[in-house]
Amino acid sequence: MQIKTVPQKIGNQLMYCYGVRLSPESEVAVAEQINKARALYNNIIAVMHSIYDEMQAYIMAHAGQEAREIQAQIEVVSAAFNAAKAANDEGEMKRIAQQRRALWKDLAVILKTVRQAHKETLKERFYSRIGNKAACETYQCRAKAVMEGLGSSTASKILDSALKAWQMSMSKGKAPRFARGDLKLRDTLALQFSEAGGYPVEGLFTGKRHDLVIQYPKKGFMPRSYSPFRFRLGAAKENIYAEGTVHLHREIPAETRIAFALLVRKRIGMQYHYELQLLATLPEPIRLEPVVRRKPLVAIHFGWSADPEGRRLAGISDNGNPWEARLLALPPDIEADLQKASELQSKREVYRDEIVARLKESQIMPTESEEAIPELWKTIRNFPMSRISPNRLHHVTRWLQENNRLPDWLYAWEKVDRRMWEQGVTCANRARNRRKNYYQEVALSLVTQYETILLELPDLKEMAFKVDQVTGERNDLARKARRGRAIASLHVLESAIKWSACKYGVAVLKLVGERTATVCSLCGGRQIAAVSGNTQVLHCKDCSNTLDRKCNGAANAWNAAAANLETLVTSYWQKTIEKQGEQAELKRLKNQKMADARKAIKQAAALVEKN
């Protein structure tokens, strides 16, 4: 087993969120900006795909005939793999994956040699065209979008997001995917304050800025305090603003600087909700002191096993004794609401299958010979039911209504499906919010009681894949366990613990390597196995004790860290201080560079004016 010490971030930035109500005219203007932002992202991705295809063609052209033959074989076996996956043939998937893996290795050896030989050419002809410099094609997409009316700060954030997607996708050897606007539940418009360190928060309420204007609340910041505000959309010369009222329920501390202002649109059911978010950099990092004396260490062994009294999330131990360890469970009402939302979605899929089958049998579907047949009809005709989303069917319904061909049975389905979707989304959102609040309460309780927190988590990223594309093997998790993983959302709990630890100055360590549940925490024996019929209860043959799996894992984790706790904590804070110092220096250099650039521009302008 190994204990990792990951440096802690500087806890001096907070996102202040305020509810917003926009005028109907402003909602239309915001929707136009969001559509332009979505189009910009996909335009940048299209440019990346074009460059990627050119680069791949260049590499293959210089790789020789052998590489092209291997590539053709890979395409054939990949098609066979997808067919086996659709047929749920695990044996065939493993066989084909093994064959494809061997081909990948052979091709990778050839392509690596080609890339090394043509490294400079690839940089000059392809990679140099992707970036945030004026000469890059991706930046030119951004510039064009700004000329067509998209806000400059929003365009910059879209470009940064696309470049990040490029880096992540290229690490896997492929180009990034396009975004689907119909699946997005959240869109953001941005204003960036270019002042070094951000704009002073006091200036936002004085009317000095023209891009973001917020009136100071007459009665001060309080639960029912509302004030008018204006948020600029697009370029300043266009003079287009989102106007409405903002709910100023929470005051931002004095001497805080605002780096970004974000206008966020969230889709909840069939409606849109809006928020004004201000990224605030506080004058000093947040440091809160507990009111009681804290214990030195607590270990948390995570999991997500089902239980009638509440899904078990983790075992928590602060002394290494499994008998005194406690269990953390998710409140049953939260899981019940999430399950209810999942059942509504399942019903929607059943009704969808019935509607698709009826559509294919009915006479209302356009024939292949009809001109201007929409692509969605081709999808319904050729794709299996599982790949046809209810959203496509709603587009079909709209098309039929516009062409006066909508039958009563399809109209009735649309109304029922829309209502079920609203109920499911609302129920799930409320349950997730309650889960998030519960996790924050748990995190706050831990950081006020302990000086160091040791986390032992399963590999959540690895368990997210149903089928390993490399080996062709299915994930070890059964369908029920995969559903439980989504209900537990342990990454949310982990994030809550880390943020609370940052505020209270608590060290957070991670235990990686051998699973602690495979060792008895009482005698250290490895002759331990699950009791028949209950995987959460372990029986040790060496000492004949029966232990809870999560409590046993937490006790083992505590014992692993307690023996060398002082060294681990010292190393943790040393790395944290070094990391924070590096970040502060990088920020100082960046601000200095920006200030020098502005100074140079002013000097150049003054020289031109003088001449």
Side-chain angles (χ1 to χ4, degrees):
M1 291 181 287
Q2 179 186 1
I3 298 177
K4 294 177 62 177
T5 55
V6 181
Q8 194 176 85
K9 295 182 178 180
I10 302 176
N12 65 336
Q13 285 192 325
L14 284 177
M15 185 70 80
Y16 285 80
C17 302
Y18 302 104
V20 163
R21 289 181 180 176
L22 296 180
S23 64
E25 298 81 6
S26 296
E27 289 196 48
V28 174
V30 168
E32 291 177 356
Q33 282 285 303
I34 289 174
N35 289 337
K36 291 177 180 178
R38 291 178 175 179
L40 171 60
Y41 183 86
N42 281 335
N43 288 340
I44 295 174
I45 298 299
V47 168
M48 291 177 174
H49 273 257
S50 176
I51 296 173
Y52 177 81
D53 292 341
E54 291 179 25
M55 181 173 62
Q56 291 300 102
Y58 177 86
I59 293 173
M60 293 302 297
H62 290 78
Q65 183 63 29
E66 183 183 359
R68 288 189 285 274
E69 292 176 355
I70 295 175
Q71 180 65 33
Q73 294 178 40
I74 290 174
E75 293 175 0
V76 172
V77 297
S78 293
F81 181 87
N82 292 334
K85 183 178 178 182
N88 199 24
D89 189 342
E90 295 189 23
E92 187 68 5
M93 281 193 294
K94 292 179 182 179
R95 186 191 67 79
I96 297 174
Q98 185 177 3
Q99 179 184 357
R100 183 171 60 175
R101 188 162 64 248
L103 293 171
W104 277 342
K105 289 181 179 180
D106 294 339
L107 183 62
V109 173
I110 300 174
L111 296 185
K112 183 178 180 180
T113 304
V114 176
R115 292 191 184 99
Q116 288 293 333
H118 299 81
K119 184 176 181 180
E120 296 302 323
T121 304
L122 293 176
K123 286 183 179 180
E124 181 180 351
R125 292 183 56 176
F126 304 108
Y127 289 112
S128 63
R129 296 158 61 186
I130 297 175
N132 55 5
K133 296 182 179 179
C136 298
E137 294 180 23
T138 51
Y139 187 88
Q140 292 167 9
C141 287
R142 174 206 174 277
K144 182 180 178 182
V146 172
M147 292 292 293
E148 293 174 352
L150 180 62
S152 176
S153 298
T154 302
S156 296
K157 288 187 72 67
I158 293 294
L159 176 57
D160 291 342
S161 178
L163 292 176
K164 184 177 180 180
W166 167 262
Q167 292 176 352
M168 294 178 64
S169 296
M170 286 302 293
S171 66
K172 301 176 183 178
K174 56 185 178 181
R177 293 185 297 179
F178 291 93
R180 287 187 55 184
D182 59 325
L183 298 180
K184 292 194 70 175
L185 300 178
R186 174 190 176 100
D187 290 279
T188 302
L189 302 177
L191 288 175
Q192 182 176 3
F193 304 137
S194 58
E195 293 81 355
Y199 190 74
V201 67
E202 294 82 4
L204 293 181
F205 300 96
T206 59
K208 293 182 180 180
R209 296 197 67 91
H210 299 289
D211 49 2
L212 179 62
V213 180
I214 307 175
Q215 289 189 14
Y216 192 86
K218 295 180 180 180
K219 298 181 180 179
F221 292 83
M222 54 189 300
R224 293 187 176 275
S225 180
Y226 299 89
S227 292
F229 90 106
R230 300 173 69 207
F231 187 100
R232 193 182 72 203
L233 305 174
K237 62 181 180 181
E238 296 181 2
N239 200 32
I240 300 176
Y241 290 86
E243 299 181 339
T245 56
V246 56
H247 181 199
L248 298 175
H249 64 286
R250 184 183 181 190
E251 186 173 8
I252 302 176
E255 300 183 9
T256 296
R257 304 186 75 88
I258 307 299
F260 276 100
L262 306 177
L263 183 61
V264 180
R265 187 183 76 174
K266 297 180 179 180
R267 190 177 73 182
I268 301 178
M270 298 300 295
Q271 298 179 340
Y272 289 115
H273 291 198
Y274 299 88
E275 284 184 359
L276 176 65
Q277 298 184 357
L278 303 176
L279 179 59
T281 302
L282 305 180
E284 296 291 337
I286 302 173
R287 279 294 178 265
L288 303 177
E289 295 295 332
V291 296
V292 297
R293 182 178 177 85
R294 295 186 291 192
K295 296 181 180 180
L297 173 66
V298 64
I300 308 175
H301 175 90
F302 287 88
W304 60 80
S305 57
D307 190 279
E309 297 181 358
R311 181 171 295 276
R312 298 183 175 192
L313 302 173
I316 303 176
S317 175
D318 58 9
N319 59 17
N321 186 345
W323 305 118
E324 297 181 11
R326 63 185 187 276
L327 289 170
L328 176 66
L330 186 70
D333 61 301
I334 295 178
E335 181 165 356
D337 283 352
L338 291 172
Q339 188 66 31
K340 180 181 177 182
S342 178
E343 291 171 357
L344 286 170
Q345 180 61 29
S346 298
K347 287 182 179 179
R348 291 184 66 210
E349 292 174 356
V350 171
Y351 295 154
R352 174 209 56 196
D353 293 347
E354 295 174 358
I355 289 297
V356 171
R358 192 167 180 180
L359 270 175
K360 291 184 176 182
E361 295 173 357
S362 67
Q363 301 298 320
I364 63 173
M365 286 188 68
T367 62
E368 293 286 356
S369 60
E370 288 191 44
E371 296 182 359
I373 176 174
E375 287 295 326
L376 56 91
W377 283 112
K378 296 179 181 178
T379 301
I380 292 175
R381 180 178 286 108
N382 301 322
F383 281 22
M385 294 179 182
S386 60
R387 294 187 61 184
I388 301 174
S389 67
N391 188 52
R392 289 184 185 272
L393 295 180
H394 283 284
H395 285 295
V396 168
T397 304
R398 191 179 309 159
W399 186 87
L400 290 171
Q401 193 169 20
E402 292 172 354
N403 290 273
N404 298 319
R405 299 168 67 171
L406 180 64
D408 292 339
W409 55 269
L410 188 56
Y411 176 77
W413 167 83
E414 181 194 30
K415 296 298 182 184
V416 172
D417 185 74
R418 192 180 299 274
R419 184 167 60 251
M420 291 176 64
W421 177 62
E422 288 181 344
Q423 292 174 349
V425 170
T426 302
C427 184
N429 284 340
R430 288 176 176 173
R432 293 190 189 104
N433 288 335
R434 297 205 313 276
R435 181 180 62 194
K436 182 178 179 180
N437 292 336
Y438 174 68
Y439 286 170
Q440 289 174 346
E441 293 173 1
V442 170
L444 182 62
S445 174
L446 289 170
V447 299
T448 54
Q449 294 183 63
Y450 303 100
E451 296 177 350
T452 306
I453 299 177
L454 176 65
L455 305 179
E456 184 186 9
L457 291 103
D459 191 337
L460 300 176
K461 184 177 180 180
E462 179 182 343
M463 294 181 177
F465 297 101
K466 291 183 180 180
V467 177
D468 191 324
Q469 295 294 321
V470 177
T471 64
E473 296 181 354
R474 288 193 175 276
N475 193 301
D476 292 337
L477 295 180
R479 184 177 180 181
K480 185 176 180 180
R482 290 183 59 81
R483 185 165 60 245
R485 168 184 165 274
I487 291 172
S489 289
L490 296 181
H491 66 281
V492 179
L493 177 55
E494 180 188 12
S495 298
I497 291 174
K498 287 183 176 179
W499 173 235
S500 296
C502 183
K503 292 191 292 184
Y504 277 85
V506 173
V508 179
L509 310 176
K510 273 193 172 183
L511 183 65
V512 296
E514 182 181 356
R515 300 294 294 159
T516 55
T518 61
V519 180
C520 177
S521 57
L522 293 174
C523 68
R526 293 184 176 272
Q527 297 295 319
I528 188 169
V531 175
S532 178
N534 190 350
T535 59
Q536 295 305 306
V537 178
L538 303 176
H539 177 73
C540 179
K541 295 181 179 179
D542 293 334
C543 63
S544 300
N545 282 304
T546 302
L547 305 169
D548 180 89
R549 176 182 290 273
K550 291 182 176 56
C551 290
N552 179 67
N556 276 325
W558 190 94
N559 290 325
N564 201 24
L565 181 60
E566 184 176 353
T567 303
L568 291 169
V569 173
T570 301
S571 174
Y572 174 85
W573 289 117
Q574 285 178 346
K575 290 182 179 180
T576 295
I577 293 172
E578 291 174 2
K579 185 68 174 180
Q580 292 176 354
E582 292 173 0
Q583 292 175 348
E585 180 62 17
L586 288 174
K587 185 176 181 180
R588 186 192 67 80
L589 293 174
K590 181 180 178 181
N591 292 338
Q592 184 63 44
K593 184 177 180 181
M594 293 171 62
D596 292 343
R598 287 193 294 267
K599 185 178 179 180
I601 293 173
K602 289 181 181 179
Q603 290 176 349
L607 184 61
V608 171
E609 184 178 352
K610 182 178 180 181
N611 294 334

